[in-house]
Amino acid sequence: MRETPVFASAAVAAPHRLASEAGRAILAEGGNAIEAMVAMAATIAVVYPHMNGIGGDGFWLVHEPGGRMHGIEACGPAGSLATIEHYRRRDYDVIPSRGPEAALTVAGAIGGWQLALDLSRSLGGRLPLRDLLLDAIGHGREGYEISGSELGNQPNELDALKAAPGFLPAFWIDGAPPKPGARRKPETLAATLQQLADAGLDDFYRGDVGHEIAADLERMGAPIARADLDRYRARSVAPLALKLPGLMVYNLPPPTQGLASLLILGIFERLGPVKLDSFEHHHGLIEATKRAFAIRDRYVTDPTQLDHPPADFLSDAALAREAAAIDRKRAAKLPLRNGDGDTVWMGAIDANGLAVSYIQSIYWEYGSGCVLPRTGIHWQNRGVSFSLDKKAANPLAPGRKPFHTLNPALAGFADGRILPYGSMGGDGQPQFQAQILSRYRAGQNLATAVDAPRWLFGKTWGASSTSLKFESRFESSLLERLDAAGHPITETGQAYSEGFGHAGMLVKHAKGHVEAVHDPRSDGDSRGI
């Protein structure tokens, strides 16, 4: 199933072919990597609705050809009506995962597009917004074939999802799940994108689209008010950085789990050299994941509420201390919370070397399930990561930002290579990032690194204990050694499963050409010019 990598002067990678084609077309038109990414983000929001949408959030890493890094945090806070008391009065012990009460945070993705395009213009980008949204609008108006990923998706809490306002008419056909070959035509969403193309992206929050969004959310009973939309702005943030031998790795600060992704790499590095695909390789990454997640679950929260600067955890002393706590031969038993999530990661590099790593999501498949009738937007349920316990690490409060599994990654090598990379997958994102990057650093090419079998440490939906799940292409001798070391092995029996992420990698080589690949587990590919 290995995808043939693209070698080109500029390239994109996305988990749906219509999205990668939208990005390729913008590059061919003379657009830069940021403009190509906005076109991809808009298109995939239409054609991959179980994974993402414009009613969700997004995070950007952008690397300028001169080396300057930019981060964009485009995640919305809890609405002004979203209080712990609001849910307690309705007899909730936890925030519901589906329906209007799950649609409690402002959608930030469009604000992120807007801020990214401001950066694009400062770097010479000149394509009009209408051009960037053209493909997305066309797929909405003319229809598209529903993807294999969506057809095979098995949503959590299906009954509650089906009961969410607007879900069934938007995503099912005659009251039943779509079948292979079925097409969908979200014309109302296309009209919304056309309005944004004509009026500008700010209209989503402070114009006609924002007015319609607020009215629909109010009618549904979601705890978001018009003033919450009006106040929202995406933010430029300084990326976190981790220096490793021969490269610098970047990710985003809280409220994302970017810290955990860097911690895994930093802790693993301090375990010393290992042979690729050996027991030491995989055991080391798994144990580094446990240490990283323990720190993440204790400290990562709204950036205004942090107890410690995230960079403190990435110091040499802190990483050495965490590595020293790892038993090189036995699996540690550490508690781990459950963190599901469906997402899209995409990358782009243009001919000038501008590189983008981007991730966009509505959290669970189809988010809250609520589809706003006047705009055709389905709204995220990211706010379910809040707690109704005031003493928790992430307690619900109006204006507070929830914990995010989303985290785009990018690496800069000492020899001049620039590597945007990432994956969807909730708690799996840092784990999949570490696996594909460790393979690439060990000498595998992009296609081999992304194609290779993966594991996932965590809880399956509804399980009371953690397990270590494996795709079926690992050597049995490795699994036997991991099992003997105390790892709770679960073999999935699947050679390629999207439960192990939709990963992608692109690299701009020092000599100028770009290599790109996306995951055979997805419906996407990489394309170049």
Side-chain angles (χ1 to χ4, degrees), residues 57-59 256-257 343 359-361 382 404-408 429:
D57 291 334
F59 294 89
T256 81
Q257 64 172 339
T343 303
I359 197 159
Q360 184 167 276
S361 177
R382 181 63 60 175
H404 269 271
T405 51
L406 306 182
N407 67 115
Q429 290 179 39

Side-chain angles (χ1 to χ4, degrees), residues 24 58 88 98 144 153 168 201 207 259 273 292 320 335 362 418 421 437:
R24 187 211 62 80
R88 293 296 191 197
R98 304 294 196 182
Y144 62 90
N153 189 264
L168 288 176
L201 296 175
L259 174 63
I362 48 172
I418 301 299
Y421 68 101
L437 183 62

Side-chain angles (χ1 to χ4, degrees), residues 67-80:
R68 186 179 179 188
M69 286 292 303
H70 302 268
I72 295 175
E73 173 202 281
C75 62
S80 55

